[in-house]
Amino acid sequence: MWKDVISKNPKHSEAYIEIGSLYMEQGKYQEAIMVYKKALEINPKSAKGYANLGLVYSKIGEIEEAMEMYKAAINLVPNYYPEIYNNLGVLYLKLGKYHEAIPFFKRAILINRNFPEAFVNWGNAYYFTKEYRKAIQKYREALNLDPNHIEANYNLGVILMKLGKMNEAFLQFKKTIQLAPYHSKAHFKIGMLYYYQKKYKEALKEFEMVVKLDPQNKDAREKIEEIRNLASKWPVVEQISERRKK
């Protein structure tokens, strides 16, 4: 449809943007870049064009170019696209510039308070700077908006586990698995919590699930081997291991 629009009106920048979006959905990133650039040649004041071009650059790992495009979009419409601020913040996180990322998440939330993803990323920034209490606050704010946010539930569990709040962490990982049954990292964390409690039967089950979901997970394989090697000391583990071998 959009190609027909362009054939009738070659200066229709929005049509090029829509075609670029289709290319991006198909993973044809170089084609998308070319089409977005064409849209911006026609309309250099298209914030959407800059934002989408920034997203493509981000997907192919061209972080500096992505940041440049996002900032160009913001200069055109400073208070319109909270997603752009959030995306910029994420790029700063990828560069290890955690404190510099935070203002972008703040700005995204000022524009749209109902934006759990920005709260999660803000929490991630605090996690990386080891400000765990602040991170917990942000993850909980995200969950107040969206109780089923998978990353918020999991990340909250990770921090609670670091702080020694094992029961609370366990509940968060269980919630994560309810939402995403194939979340191998959550299964591994639950396995470790069982392991710490010497509940080897339950731990073994979780670690075996991790390997099923992620065959290359060396940590889970090592834990499985370790638990099976304990069979001589803990009969219950021996019985479980024998049943697994049958």
Side-chain angles (χ1 to χ4, degrees), residues 116-246:
E117 198 67 31
F119 280 108
V120 170
N121 289 324
W122 192 350
N124 292 345
Y126 283 136
Y127 173 82
F128 290 128
T129 58
K130 301 186 187 311
E131 297 176 84
Y132 296 135
R133 303 290 178 183
K134 291 181 179 179
I136 286 173
Q137 178 186 350
K138 295 306 166 189
Y139 293 143
R140 292 198 188 283
E141 288 182 77
L143 290 170
N144 285 337
L145 295 171
D146 180 7
N148 294 328
H149 196 288
I150 295 169
E151 186 180 357
N153 277 288
Y154 175 76
N155 289 1
L156 179 56
V158 170
I159 291 184
L160 290 170
M161 191 172 174
K162 279 183 174 290
L163 296 177
K165 299 183 177 183
M166 302 306 190
N167 291 335
E168 292 180 58
F170 181 84
L171 293 176
Q172 292 304 140
F173 295 135
K174 277 291 188 181
K175 175 70 172 179
T176 303
I177 289 173
Q178 287 174 6
L179 298 169
Y182 304 115
H183 198 295
S184 64
K185 291 181 179 179
H187 280 288
F188 184 82
K189 293 294 186 183
I190 291 174
M192 290 304 301
L193 290 171
Y194 281 134
Y195 177 84
Y196 295 146
Q197 298 175 61
K198 297 185 178 180
K199 294 182 178 180
Y200 299 115
K201 174 181 178 180
E202 293 86 348
L204 186 60
K205 180 180 177 182
E206 293 298 328
F207 293 137
E208 287 181 338
M209 176 59 77
V210 173
V211 171
K212 182 178 179 180
L213 296 171
D214 179 13
Q216 304 305 315
N217 192 305
K218 293 182 180 179
D219 292 333
R221 288 186 177 277
E222 288 176 3
K223 283 300 176 188
I224 291 171
E225 187 66 23
E226 181 181 343
I227 291 173
R228 287 177 175 166
N229 286 337
L230 291 173
S232 61
K233 296 181 180 180
W234 284 277
V236 66
V237 177
E238 183 177 14
Q239 294 171 16
I240 296 161
S241 298
E242 289 302 318
R243 286 201 299 269
R244 295 289 182 185
K245 292 175 183 177
K246 290 180 181 178

